[in-house]
Amino acid sequence: MHRPDRSVTSPGDIAVELREVDKTFYQRQRSERFRDVLTNLFRPTIREIRALRGVNLAIRRGEIVAYAGPNGAGKSTTVKLLSSVLAPTAGTVRCLGMDPMTERVPYVRRIGVVFGQRTELWWDQPVAASFEWKRVVWEIPRSRYDEMLAFVKDLLGIGEFFHTLARQLSLGQKMRADIALMLLHEPEILFLDEPTIGLDVLAKRNILDFINTLNRERGVTVMLTSHDMDELEQLAGRIVLIDRGRIAYDGDFVELRRRFGDRRHLTIDTGTADPPTLAGVRSTGSDGNRHRYTFDAARTPITTLLQQASAQTVIHDVETHRSRIDDVIADIYQDWNTEHG
């Protein structure tokens, strides 16, 4: 599995930089009562939503960075700021040395953006028509276009449905076509917002393998959002967690597990149906003589647990494995919700 080495890139070679970025939205609130019609019209209640609060983030060229958080945490808002869809309320957004809003036209020619629940394909036209449209409108030289088309056809396998109507494609085929379309102008950085949402296991693996290849062979910088933490851990060397509009963690997955608890699962096969009583663990059930526990390996060494168990019963077999990263992140989100009431 590829892990970009951040040390090989100069600290000054920054692809993405956000400094003290705030983004606030304002929503009109309306009462459902008929007598409030005039109030709703002339003096509506305005609700303030602070999507981002003092966000500081830097991504070096050539990195793959996972950007994650609970629903409503500010992930998509950040991607929209970086793709010039939104402007910040306060703070500075720079990408590839440019301001996404004031230098929008030259900027968008250097980036690629994919939102997992949207498509740029012409619905009632073959995939090839959308590609040709982009070549003409973006003024991509024919030689560069042909080179990139061959590249994405080979790695994303879109040749088999290149002349099929977009509306007849499966979800996985549409996603592969959208990513291929986004790459025709050879962007230097990709912003991928839930690019594998709704895809089956094989389609997900194909998309992730392609992103990895693109990063490794062409040095493309990637910022990826997803709710699938296993997927992110496979792909990215670095994860940034955002909660309620603030950066809550920025580091690698190993440190994430260590900082928030190295939760592991332990199964002990004993000579009795009575589970051993172990300190520092949580029992998750028994099946006959097999007893299951979870524990934090950073606080309670497994050797200590086995010593406790062997003092109480005969141990026939032991199994242990780390929790899936999805479970670790779910626990973190739950702790954050508890902290905030």
Side-chain angles (χ1 to χ4, degrees):
M1 179 171 54
H2 177 55
R3 286 284 188 267
D5 183 358
R6 285 187 276 166
S7 66
V8 302
T9 307
S10 167
D13 195 10
I14 301 297
V16 172
E17 186 173 28
L18 285 76
R19 292 184 180 178
E20 296 297 327
V21 170
D22 289 358
K23 181 59 183 178
T24 303
F25 297 98
Y26 298 94
Q27 294 181 344
R28 292 168 64 106
Q29 306 294 299
R30 294 191 176 186
S31 169
E32 72 282 2
R33 297 177 299 187
F34 180 76
R35 66 183 183 184
D36 293 330
V37 170
L38 292 179
T39 300
N40 289 337
L41 185 61
F42 295 106
R43 288 187 297 158
T45 300
I46 304 297
R47 180 188 176 198
E48 181 181 283
I49 301 175
R50 296 190 65 188
L52 297 177
R53 304 166 181 257
V55 170
N56 290 291
L57 177 65
I59 299 174
R60 296 179 181 179
R61 293 179 186 269
E63 276 195 284
I64 298 181
V65 175
Y67 194 58
N71 288 329
K75 301 185 301 297
S76 293
T77 298
T78 305
V79 174
K80 289 175 181 177
L81 289 175
L82 292 169
S83 56
S84 77
V85 175
L86 295 174
T89 305
T92 302
V93 177
R94 302 285 295 178
C95 188
L96 300 174
M98 309 173 77
D99 183 321
M101 296 305 295
T102 62
E103 302 173 89
R104 187 173 188 178
V105 173
Y107 172 69
V108 296
R109 289 184 175 274
R110 299 176 62 187
I111 69 168
V113 184
V114 169
F115 291 95
Q117 296 176 312
R118 302 176 189 174
T119 181
E120 291 189 33
L121 300 173
W122 290 3
W123 192 242
D124 286 314
Q125 296 293 325
V127 172
S130 297
F131 279 59
E132 182 63 18
W133 169 85
K134 181 166 183 177
R135 183 191 70 79
V136 173
V137 173
W138 284 65
E139 299 178 339
I140 303 172
R142 171 63 72 174
S143 59
R144 288 180 56 196
Y145 172 82
D146 290 342
E147 179 186 349
M148 281 306 295
L149 182 59
F151 176 72
V152 296
K153 274 187 174 181
D154 179 42
L155 287 181
L156 283 169
I158 65 171
E160 61 185 271
F161 52 82
F162 193 60
H163 296 285
T164 303
L165 299 183
R167 58 182 170 84
Q168 296 178 328
L169 301 180
S170 69
L171 184 59
Q173 289 173 331
K174 279 188 288 189
M175 181 53 61
R176 281 188 282 159
D178 267 311
I179 291 178
L181 183 64
M182 171 198 62
L183 293 171
L184 291 180
H185 62 290
E186 299 180 73
E188 299 170 51
I189 183 168
L190 304 183
F191 300 112
L192 307 177
D193 191 19
E194 299 283 354
T196 60
I197 189 169
L199 302 186
D200 61 36
V201 174
L202 180 58
K204 282 186 179 183
R205 186 174 67 183
N206 290 337
I207 295 295
L208 296 180
D209 286 346
F210 176 76
I211 294 170
N212 208 349
T213 299
L214 194 66
N215 170 258
R216 183 178 62 251
E217 295 186 359
R218 293 183 174 250
V220 176
T221 306
V222 181
M223 182 176 180
L224 173 76
T225 78
S226 176
H227 286 293
D228 188 331
M229 296 301 141
D230 285 331
E231 171 183 298
L232 294 181
E233 190 174 28
Q234 291 176 42
L235 187 65
R238 174 184 172 197
I239 181 170
V240 177
L241 293 179
I242 186 169
D243 178 48
R244 291 173 173 80
R246 300 182 186 276
I247 300 297
Y249 175 82
D250 184 352
D252 61 34
F253 284 89
V254 174
E255 174 63 18
L256 178 70
R257 288 179 179 273
R258 189 197 66 77
R259 181 179 299 185
F260 291 98
D262 187 5
R263 196 175 78 167
R264 302 194 182 218
H265 298 271
L266 173 65
T267 301
I268 302 177
D269 190 348
T270 70
T272 174
D274 296 324
T277 301
L278 306 179
V281 304
R282 179 172 65 88
S283 174
T284 57
S286 298
D287 295 313
N289 295 349
R290 291 175 62 83
H291 313 292
R292 301 184 302 276
Y293 307 87
T294 61
F295 67 101
D296 183 352
R299 297 183 178 181
T300 308
I302 189 172
T303 53
T304 300
L305 299 178
L306 294 180
Q307 288 172 359
Q308 294 179 31
S310 61
Q312 301 174 50
T313 186
V314 176
I315 298 177
H316 295 300
D317 194 15
V318 175
E319 295 177 13
T320 183
H321 62 273
R322 304 178 86 178
S323 293
R324 295 173 60 245
I325 192 65
D326 276 328
D327 295 330
V328 175
I329 299 293
D331 286 346
I332 293 172
Y333 290 172
Q334 186 173 19
D335 289 344
W336 287 346
N337 287 332
T338 301
E339 290 175 6
H340 293 282

